[in-house]
Amino acid sequence: MKKVLAIFLVIIFLGCGGGNSDNSSSQTDNHDNYYLLNYVVDGDTLNFEQLGKVRLISIDTPESYNSSRLDRQAEKCADGNKTIIQTMGKKATSYIKSFLEKGEEYYVENYGQDRYGRVVGKVFIENQSVNLKMVKDGYAVPYIYNEGEDSDEELIIDAYKKAKNSNRGLWLKYSKEMECLYNLNNSK
């Protein structure tokens, strides 16, 4: 009876995908999600071969280029001084460039497209979310556009609080502006 039960359990285990099988789609899927980085656009946007622009999900960095968004950030968060916001944006861009290399492959989780046609995604370096790293190190703030869309939302909020309280990255010199950017993005 014990042999019959053991054989039955093995059959069920293998039938449920618990054993080794030739069906290794997860490895193929993982490999298919690696893309070559063409260049860093700014602190929260990257350009990849085959994907084009990828906007990092759940985070925002200060603007570094002239745009209506820069105008809004400067007006609301820096008494109209675009230079302050652009300086912050350039520091965030330099920071992300310090650990992402052009021509290297990175794992990208694709969450679809935004209204500008960019891929919205999460990028990983050595199994660490770049999105989370930018907030944790104080160079980005949370930007929760669609609540529940990103499984790391709580981690990102927690990282924001820790970076703010520890004066990491941009928080050291630009705490008022960073807090304003967070409030600007997350007030509904």
Side-chain angles (χ1 to χ4, degrees):
M1 183 68 173
K2 287 182 181 179
K3 281 185 180 180
V4 172
L5 181 61
I7 291 170
F8 178 73
L9 290 174
V10 168
I11 291 170
I12 290 175
F13 180 73
L14 292 174
C16 292
N20 291 335
S21 70
D22 293 331
N23 196 4
S24 58
S25 63
S26 62
Q27 288 180 342
T28 304
D29 291 345
N30 287 342
H31 179 71
D32 289 347
N33 290 333
Y34 279 87
Y35 298 93
L36 199 66
L37 179 65
N38 289 329
Y39 58 91
V40 172
V41 176
D42 60 24
D44 57 28
T45 307
L46 309 170
N47 187 290
F48 288 93
E49 211 169 88
Q50 298 176 328
L51 283 178
K53 287 185 181 178
V54 174
R55 174 67 166 79
L56 300 179
I57 193 169
S58 299
I59 73 166
D60 190 35
T61 60
E63 295 301 308
S64 51
Y65 298 105
N66 281 319
S67 65
S68 59
R69 190 162 168 79
L70 169 65
D71 294 341
R72 182 170 178 249
Q73 288 180 352
E75 179 188 327
K76 301 281 186 183
C77 301
D79 299 320
N81 189 338
K82 291 182 190 180
T83 304
I84 290 172
I85 301 297
Q86 284 181 307
T87 299
M88 294 168 62
K90 288 176 183 174
K91 287 178 186 274
T93 302
S94 291
Y95 183 68
I96 200 168
K97 283 180 175 180
S98 75
F99 59 86
L100 292 181
E101 290 187 46
K102 178 181 165 182
E104 291 293 319
E105 282 191 336
Y106 297 98
Y107 184 83
V108 179
E109 278 184 14
N110 186 334
Y111 287 77
Q113 289 190 330
D114 67 8
R115 62 182 175 185
Y116 304 108
R118 301 175 295 190
V119 169
V120 176
K122 197 181 301 181
V123 175
F124 291 85
I125 182 170
E126 298 174 4
N127 295 321
Q128 181 184 16
S129 164
V130 169
N131 309 43
L132 182 58
K133 180 175 177 50
M134 289 296 287
V135 176
K136 186 187 295 184
D137 295 346
Y139 289 91
V141 295
Y143 182 29
I144 311 304
Y145 190 74
N146 291 320
E147 199 168 315
E149 182 176 37
D150 178 8
S151 60
D152 284 349
E153 285 174 14
E154 287 182 31
L155 292 172
I156 286 174
I157 297 293
D158 187 50
Y160 146 75
K161 290 174 184 174
K162 288 177 181 173
K164 175 183 169 183
N165 292 335
S166 302
N167 289 319
R168 289 188 203 134
L170 296 174
W171 288 98
L172 181 62
K173 187 173 179 182
Y174 303 102
S175 61
K176 175 183 128 292
E177 293 84 359
M178 289 292 281
E179 186 64 22
C180 179
L181 289 175
Y182 171 75
N183 291 329
L184 193 61
N185 288 334
N186 295 289
S187 61
K188 294 188 178 187

